[in-house]
């Protein structure tokens, strides 16, 4: 089996995971990446997407809406703005997330308009990838 590393996923509401993992696929704001044991250290911001964890317990998938990932060789820590198991994400949950993002976009000014528009686009892409 591949080398293992510690993986932790935390949102403001709760700790969602603290397991050993062989790889973590991260929806980074500047592009997706896969972290494995002994990965070069890096910190990246997250975009809305699916975070996939592979390990001895199987594959776990989580939907994240943003936040940060800290990759430090023997561990990966994800601090998500909002995170939930993929199985818990319904069409209603996605509709609420998109509605909130559209409201922020409508209220945004200056350079925040572009950031808010990207959030709406990323959430719609997530909805499409989930088939919801």
């Amino acid at each position: 089996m591949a080398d293992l590393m510690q993986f932790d996923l935390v949102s403001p509401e709760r700790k969602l995971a603290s397991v050993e993992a062989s790889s973590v696929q991260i929806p980074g704001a500047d592009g997706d990446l896969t972290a494995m044991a002994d990965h070069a250290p890096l910190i990246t911001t997250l975009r809305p997407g699916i975070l996939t964890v592979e390990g001895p317990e199987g594959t776990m998938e989580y939907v994240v809406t943003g936040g940060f990932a800290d990759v430090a060789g023997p561990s990966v820590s994800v601090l998500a703005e909002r995170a939930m198991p993929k199985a818990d994400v319904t069409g209603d949950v996605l509709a609420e997330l998109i509605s909130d993002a559209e409201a922020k976009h409508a209220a945004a000014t200056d350079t925040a308009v572009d950031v808010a528009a990207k959030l709406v686009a990323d959430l719609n892409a997530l909805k499409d990838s989930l088939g919801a």
Side-chain angles (χ1 to χ4, degrees), residues 1-131:
M1 170 160 244
D3 291 339
L4 298 176
M5 62 189 167
Q6 178 62 35
F7 170 73
D8 294 294
L9 172 60
V10 179
S11 73
E13 296 85 26
R14 63 187 168 149
K15 179 183 270 190
L16 284 101
S18 182
V19 298
E20 289 189 319
S22 56
S23 68
V24 180
Q25 296 173 10
I26 301 168
D30 293 327
D32 294 351
L33 66 108
T34 300
M36 300 175 80
D38 298 324
H39 191 287
L42 83 105
I43 294 176
T44 186
T45 54
L46 303 176
R47 65 167 171 75
I50 299 171
L51 186 138
T52 304
V53 182
E54 299 279 343
E57 299 174 12
T59 300
M60 296 170 281
E61 294 180 307
Y62 301 92
V63 170
V64 295
T65 61
F68 298 91
D70 178 13
V71 179
S75 68
V76 174
S77 298
V78 175
L79 307 171
E81 290 174 3
R82 187 163 176 190
M84 60 205 88
K86 182 180 169 187
D88 292 353
V89 179
T90 64
D92 290 342
V93 170
L94 286 170
E96 178 186 340
L97 291 172
I98 292 169
S99 176
D100 290 348
E102 288 172 340
K104 288 178 184 174
H105 180 244
T109 59
D110 299 327
T111 58
V113 170
D114 292 338
V115 173
K118 181 170 180 349
L119 177 61
V120 171
D122 285 344
L123 286 168
N124 278 308
L126 173 61
K127 178 182 173 186
D128 292 343
S129 73
L130 292 171

